[in-house]
Amino acid sequence: MKTNFLPKNSFRRKPRSRSREVLVVASVFVVGAFFFSYFGGYVSNVVGPLWHSNAFLSRGLTNLTASLRSKDALITENTNLKDQLASDEELIVSLRTIAASRDDLLSSFGRNAASGISANVLVHPPETPYDILVIDAGENLGVKLLSEVSTPEGSSIGSISDIFSKTARVKLYSTAGERTDAVLERGQVPVTLTGRGGGNLEFTLPRTIDVEIGDRIVTSTIDTALLGVVGSVDVTPTDSFKTVLVKSPINPSTLRHVLIKR
Amino acid sequence: MRERILFDIFLFFLVLYAPYWIYLPALILGIILFPLFWESVLFSLFIDYFYGPHTHSGSIFAFPFAIVASLFTLALIPIKESLRLHA
């Protein structure tokens, strides 16, 4: 004998109460948010060594993949890098002269040349979905909230947004929605940069003000650190303003060391 | 149960080491595959706290991704039930 089992008609059943599931999820959220808000520093002490090991493993993996590349490709890359290095060394020599002049000028105003706390970058984009860095310097090294963060070469990239006991979070100026005062070097025009994410920023200017691709955007402070370089200028014939897109001087996804200014 | 614990450990290391375009889809996959995947809320809180741009002053609105993950987890429960085949 054949028996057919019809599927249950879900419309006849009373809808099941979801209160238990809502209570579970809401409780986890509230307890978790409270825990991270007040005890998040302890979590950072636990995951900090894991982030350190990630940096060690990723360098090892890079070396391993490099060893698998063909000999010809490595020779070509070596030659190109040597040429690039020679060019950069020449540029560094000329920039050192300029840096020495800047330091003398700062000293005459009673300001010391930039000194700060060196830190390694533990986590960077794309591990973080935003333009946020996690560095291995925190309260233990005297890092202060809102301290300016720059690359060792001097480009200003962001500020300290959160401090833990041994780590800190850096919010880059290119974080989406972040607004930063700056100066367009051509004409010393004050501008307000707005972060767009991915190491990109933008600002608007009246059409009459000149700006060219390659112009530098610097900080409005006395040390005039580099903030970005103009990448493109968008203007429509009917618009009285033009939108200038700025590239950050650094690539957030490859940044390994930063300097936190005291 | 064992699969869930293993997936939690796997997801924890993904959140620590992998790019966001890997661990976010993995998180969504966990919410879809496992019933009442409350661990997604904890992972989302971790992501918001360490990787988010907001300063954490005790406000729940400093955890936007955790709020979205919680709502998505709850919204998916009746959908997953209606998709099941009853014998």
Side-chain angles (χ1 to χ4, degrees):
Chain A
M1 185 176 102
K2 205 171 164 184
T3 307
N4 285 325
F5 291 98
L6 293 173
K8 287 183 185 173
N9 188 345
S10 60
F11 291 104
R12 281 192 185 169
R13 287 180 291 133
K14 277 173 68 173
R16 196 163 67 83
S17 173
R18 307 271 175 232
S19 56
R20 189 182 75 90
E21 285 92 349
V22 173
L23 193 62
V24 166
V25 172
S27 304
V28 170
F29 179 85
V30 169
V31 171
F34 177 81
F35 177 78
F36 277 104
S37 293
Y38 294 101
F39 303 106
Y42 298 105
V43 179
S44 75
N45 290 341
V46 171
V47 296
L50 295 175
W51 281 325
H52 274 289
S53 67
N54 177 35
F56 173 76
L57 285 171
S58 64
R59 275 198 295 276
L61 195 63
T62 304
N63 293 337
L64 180 65
T65 54
S67 68
L68 297 175
R69 295 176 64 188
S70 71
K71 191 176 173 183
D72 289 338
L74 286 172
I75 291 172
T76 306
E77 188 182 12
N78 190 24
T79 307
N80 293 338
L81 286 173
K82 278 183 181 171
D83 292 338
Q84 181 70 33
L85 186 62
S87 168
D88 288 343
E89 278 177 352
E90 187 183 339
L91 183 62
I92 286 169
V93 167
S94 63
L95 288 175
R96 277 205 183 117
T97 310
I98 298 171
S101 303
R102 183 201 64 190
D103 293 343
D104 290 339
L105 181 63
L106 287 174
S107 298
S108 67
F109 282 97
R111 304 283 186 98
N112 296 325
S115 65
I117 305 164
S118 293
N120 294 320
V121 176
L122 297 176
V123 185
H124 53 63
E127 281 99 44
T128 61
Y130 307 97
D131 282 16
I132 298 286
L133 306 175
V134 178
I135 59 175
D136 67 347
E139 287 172 349
N140 61 331
L141 294 179
V143 174
K144 292 190 170 43
L145 201 60
L146 302 179
S147 297
E148 189 182 330
V149 177
S150 65
T151 60
E153 291 78 20
S155 300
S156 184
I157 58 172
S159 60
I160 301 290
S161 65
D162 256 317
I163 307 175
F164 308 112
S165 57
K166 293 180 185 173
T167 55
R169 219 160 49 144
V170 177
K171 186 191 284 190
L172 300 180
Y173 294 134
S174 56
T175 303
E178 185 76 3
R179 297 172 73 82
T180 310
D181 293 327
V183 172
L184 174 63
E185 211 174 34
R186 181 191 293 265
Q188 297 296 311
V189 178
V191 297
T192 302
L193 294 172
T194 302
R196 296 186 64 193
N200 300 309
L201 309 102
E202 69 175 11
F203 63 93
T204 54
L205 274 183
R207 288 176 66 113
T208 52
I209 296 181
D210 289 333
V211 60
E212 305 279 341
I213 292 173
D215 284 351
R216 287 157 35 104
I217 314 296
V218 296
T219 58
S220 53
T221 54
I222 194 170
D223 54 359
T224 60
L226 180 66
L227 275 177
V229 176
V230 174
S232 71
V233 180
D234 293 336
V235 58
T236 55
T238 56
D239 205 348
S240 55
F241 289 91
K242 50 189 167 188
T243 302
V244 182
L245 302 177
V246 177
K247 290 183 298 188
S248 177
I250 53 103
N251 183 353
S253 60
T254 59
L255 201 57
R256 290 173 59 183
H257 305 287
V258 295
L259 190 71
I260 303 137
K261 292 184 181 174
R262 294 184 194 274
Chain B
M1 186 66 180
R2 187 175 56 185
E3 291 86 9
R4 189 160 172 157
I5 293 171
L6 287 174
F7 186 82
D8 287 340
I9 295 169
F10 174 66
L11 195 55
F12 176 67
F13 284 104
L14 278 186
V15 169
L16 281 183
Y17 297 140
Y20 68 92
W21 39 266
I22 289 180
Y23 61 70
L24 290 186
L27 198 64
I28 294 171
L29 191 67
I31 295 173
I32 292 171
L33 288 179
F34 297 105
L36 193 60
F37 193 59
W38 53 266
E39 296 94 315
S40 63
V41 180
L42 285 181
F43 284 120
S44 307
L45 286 166
F46 181 95
I47 292 166
D48 275 329
Y49 187 75
F50 286 106
Y51 301 161
H54 307 284
T55 305
H56 296 284
S57 55
S59 165
I60 62 165
F61 296 106
F63 301 100
F65 186 58
I67 294 173
V68 169
S70 305
L71 294 174
F72 185 68
T73 303
L74 292 172
L76 223 53
I77 293 172
I79 296 172
K80 285 197 289 187
E81 281 187 359
S82 66
L83 286 175
R84 283 197 196 129
L85 299 174
H86 292 279

